[in-house]
Amino acid sequence: MEDLGGLVVKFAVVVNEGPYTHQASDTAYQFTKSALDKGHEIFRVFFYHDGVNNATRLTVPPQDERNVQKNWSELAEKHSLDMVVCIAAAQRRGILDADEAKRHGKGDGSANIAPGFRISGLGQLIEAGIQADRLVVFGD
Amino acid sequence: MSDSKRFLYVNRKAPHGTVYALESLEVVLIGAAFEQDVSLAFLDDGVFQLVKRQVTTGIGVKNFAPTYRALGDYDVKKLFVERESLEERGLTEDDLMEVTHENDDEEDVSSIEIVDRARMAEIMAAQDVVLSF
Amino acid sequence: MSTLHTVNKSPFERGSLASALAHALPGDAVLLIEDAVVGVRAGETAAAQALKAAMPGCAIHVLGPDLAARGIAADGVVDGVTIVDYGGFVDLAAAHDKVQAWL
């Protein structure tokens, strides 16, 4: 281990599991929050596989429980995080933005992507791997 | 320093029971367009992803196994399979499908290299980015 | 070139920890998170022995909040295992050249 002595590291974070069933999204959130608190940079958070389910605005967890989607959205707003949801994985699992909802004829108001998330291609994951100093994967 | 990075896709799960093998392959295919130095590692139950004669009609899902054979067309030429993982599961190289690519002399050569565990550890250590699914 | 290996599966249920330890090289570090932390309880378990055998060539760390959540006391872990918080996880990820998840 080298001593980085306060050096800023550019992280990319990958989340491969949805909220609530698996701890992966919670761990990824805590990691991302800690990295930002320490002054590091988060190049992108990429949601893949069931991880795309973190991006639905339609979850209504009990009030005394954490709201995983809201936690991510608020963190993104606070730190201008780039949170990308894989389009292919999202389409399979019913996560749609307004454009996608329209394109697939799912009707007005069926877009369910939460604030702070955007839908894009897998190329964004590869780009994150190229651009970031460290890519950290959280999954099952 | 070269501007391309060494990417390793680590496959440790059997196919079909979960989506990971399929969606990992989708990343590999998309990633191929980025002209990075790409390798795939198959170890633990991941070696089952390359077993030949996978028939998925009975489980009602699309068989993506033939896509591995197309990797050469995407310039993905390095598939490392761990020998110990094969042996622990009663498999040999003969149980694996043929995956080839064209070499500089336009000959079809195997993209699959069977490596022992120590060599696999070295291959992993030499990467810049490790993607696990 | 050193690697931080993360493991999140119980070694009593899956082979992820054994596989990670079998591929880690001297100078690497292993961090146990989520369900993997159940493997660091001191005692005559196969997991504890595997961790002891891996040290000191490979530093072993465990995520404290995951230990606490599973009722494992900080003083009840295998000797030599370092307990870190999420900030420590970030420090480890920054200090090594890459992070490899053994999902």
Side-chain angles (χ1 to χ4, degrees):
Chain A
M1 265 172 56
E2 49 187 318
D3 180 15
L4 290 167
L7 209 81
V8 174
V9 174
K10 199 193 295 181
F11 286 104
V13 173
V14 183
V15 182
N16 288 339
E17 291 302 321
Y20 304 113
T21 300
H22 196 284
Q23 201 187 340
S25 180
D26 295 292
T27 309
Y29 171 78
Q30 299 291 351
F31 179 92
T32 304
K33 197 164 165 287
S34 290
L36 291 164
D37 287 346
K38 282 177 165 280
H40 293 299
E41 189 185 327
I42 300 292
F43 177 77
R44 178 170 294 149
V45 184
F46 191 87
F47 296 85
Y48 193 39
H49 303 294
D50 276 1
V52 300
N53 289 323
N54 289 286
T56 173
R57 63 178 176 83
L58 299 179
T59 54
V60 191
Q63 284 192 349
D64 61 346
E65 273 184 32
R66 75 207 186 285
N67 186 323
V68 175
Q69 170 268 312
K70 202 156 159 261
N71 282 348
W72 279 114
S73 289
E74 286 174 359
L75 194 67
E77 188 179 7
K78 189 176 169 193
H79 297 276
S80 305
L81 283 186
D82 186 21
M83 302 201 302
V84 177
V85 178
C86 167
I87 187 164
Q91 285 178 338
R92 283 189 181 117
R93 294 163 179 86
I95 305 295
L96 300 169
D97 61 14
D99 286 350
E100 287 301 304
K102 194 176 168 193
R103 196 154 70 91
H104 297 284
K106 295 293 183 185
D108 288 345
S110 60
N112 60 342
I113 193 157
F117 294 88
R118 66 184 177 96
I119 292 181
S120 188
L122 274 172
Q124 301 273 311
L125 170 58
I126 308 297
E127 191 203 9
I130 294 170
Q131 297 295 332
D133 302 316
R134 306 280 187 282
L135 179 135
V136 189
V137 182
F138 296 89
D140 187 16
Chain B
M1 193 182 126
S2 157
D3 55 359
S4 87
K5 280 190 172 181
R6 284 158 296 190
F7 273 71
L8 179 70
Y9 296 89
V10 176
N11 300 288
R12 296 182 50 246
K13 291 169 180 157
H16 311 306
T18 55
V19 78
Y20 303 107
L22 167 62
E23 287 188 337
S24 166
L25 194 53
E26 289 184 348
V27 183
V28 174
L29 297 178
I30 297 288
F34 285 76
E35 297 185 349
Q36 305 295 302
D37 180 353
V38 173
S39 301
L40 275 60
F42 297 86
L43 64 155
D44 299 333
D45 281 349
V47 297
F48 283 107
Q49 293 180 25
L50 293 179
V51 164
K52 59 187 170 193
R53 289 189 291 269
Q54 296 179 40
V55 180
T56 61
T57 46
I59 59 170
V61 301
K62 184 174 147 187
N63 188 8
F64 59 91
T67 310
Y68 292 104
R69 296 206 300 271
L71 285 172
D73 300 335
Y74 288 82
D75 252 5
V76 176
K77 302 169 180 172
K78 293 185 282 190
L79 279 64
F80 298 104
V81 179
E82 188 174 273
R83 183 184 310 282
E84 287 86 343
S85 296
L86 286 174
E87 288 170 359
E88 286 158 9
R89 288 157 183 79
L91 297 170
T92 69
E93 192 170 359
D94 293 339
D95 293 305
L96 304 182
M97 63 177 86
E98 269 188 34
V99 182
T100 61
H101 63 272
E102 219 172 62
N103 68 10
D104 294 339
D105 298 326
E106 296 182 7
E107 299 160 333
D108 279 342
V109 293
S110 179
S111 303
I112 294 180
E113 187 181 337
I114 311 291
V115 297
D116 65 17
R117 190 160 279 160
R119 174 79 186 117
M120 183 62 90
E122 288 171 8
I123 290 164
M124 288 173 166
Q127 306 299 320
D128 295 312
V129 181
V130 179
L131 282 160
S132 316
F133 297 107
Chain C
M1 293 280 283
S2 68
T3 301
L4 172 66
H5 303 267
T6 62
V7 179
N8 71 342
K9 299 296 185 310
S10 163
F12 302 112
E13 190 197 359
R14 311 265 196 108
S16 308
L17 176 63
S19 202
L21 293 175
H23 293 87
L25 296 179
D28 285 356
V30 177
L31 172 65
L32 291 89
I33 65 171
E34 301 171 0
D35 283 352
V37 305
V38 302
V40 303
R41 281 187 52 141
E44 295 306 307
T45 68
Q49 278 163 6
L51 291 172
K52 277 188 236 171
M55 294 184 285
C58 194
I60 309 287
H61 308 273
V62 63
L63 198 54
D66 278 329
L67 273 183
R70 287 158 183 82
I72 300 168
D75 59 4
V77 305
V78 171
D79 272 351
V81 173
T82 314
I83 300 172
V84 298
D85 58 11
Y86 290 103
F89 184 174
V90 172
D91 292 343
L92 285 168
H96 292 275
D97 298 293
K98 63 177 171 292
V99 183
Q100 178 169 353
W102 292 79
L103 301 178

